[in-house]
Amino acid sequence: GEKSSLMHQEQERKIKSAITVSNVCNFVLLFSQLVAFLSSHSLALMANLIDAALDMVSGLVILVSWRVKSIQDRHKYPIGRSRSEPLGVILMACLMTAATLLTLEESIQCLLSQGKERAFQGLTPSVVLLVTLALGTKLL
C-alpha cells in the first residue's frame, strides 16, 4: 500500500543520488586524468584517461537506462522498458573494446617507433597530485 509506495520512492531517490554523485566524481576524475596525461604524455596515464572517460560514459549510460526503465507506459510499451539496461551494457562493452584496441594500437606504435614520436615528460608534482586525487576519488 502506501507504506511500500513511500519506501519505493525513497529507494528511487537514493538511487538517483548515488548516480548523480558517481557522475560528478567521474567528471572530476576525467578532468584530472586529462590534465595529467597532457602534462606527461605517459601511455599509462593515457590508459587511465581512457578508463576515466569510459567511467563517465558508463555513468551516463546507467543514468539514461535507469530513467528510461522507470518510465511506465503500459499502452505504448506493453512489456515495459526492462531491456534498456542490457542494451546499455552491450553499448559499454562495445565502447570498452574499441578503447582497448585504440590503447593497444597506440602502445604498439610507440614500441615500434622506439618512443621517437612522443617523449615522456616525466611526472611533475602537480601530475602526481592529480593522479593521487583521482585515486582518492576512485576509492570513495
Side-chain angles (χ1 to χ4, degrees):
E2 187 177 323
K3 186 175 180 179
S4 68
S5 176
L6 288 175
M7 288 174 46
H8 180 70
Q9 287 175 353
E10 180 66 19
Q11 183 180 14
E12 293 286 320
R13 188 189 64 74
K14 286 179 182 179
I15 291 170
K16 185 177 179 182
S17 294
I19 291 172
T20 301
V21 168
S22 176
N23 284 336
V24 168
C25 289
N26 285 337
F27 180 77
V28 170
L29 180 63
L30 176 64
F31 180 76
S32 66
Q33 294 292 355
L34 177 64
V35 171
F37 168 69
L38 292 176
S39 300
S40 70
H41 295 285
S42 163
L43 285 176
L45 290 179
M46 180 189 78
N48 282 342
L49 172 62
I50 291 170
D51 179 56
L54 287 172
D55 283 347
M56 184 72 196
V57 172
S58 175
L60 294 174
V61 167
I62 289 170
L63 177 65
V64 168
S65 56
W66 176 74
R67 286 193 179 181
V68 166
K69 187 177 167 183
S70 66
I71 297 171
Q72 302 292 327
D73 186 349
R74 293 289 175 200
H75 297 292
K76 200 171 186 178
Y77 304 99
I79 61 169
R81 292 185 170 186
S82 61
R83 293 182 181 159
S84 63
E85 190 173 13
L87 288 174
V89 170
I90 291 169
L91 172 66
M92 281 310 302
C94 292
L95 289 173
M96 290 168 66
T97 301
T100 299
L101 292 174
L102 289 172
T103 304
L104 185 61
E105 177 188 24
E106 183 69 21
S107 298
I108 290 171
Q109 284 180 358
C110 186
L111 279 174
L112 295 177
S113 69
Q114 298 175 359
K116 294 176 187 170
E117 291 180 13
R118 181 188 322 166
F120 175 61
Q121 304 291 320
L123 297 177
T124 63
S126 60
V127 170
V128 172
L129 176 65
L130 284 172
V131 171
T132 304
L133 288 174
L135 177 62
T137 302
K138 281 273 196 186
L139 293 175
L140 291 177

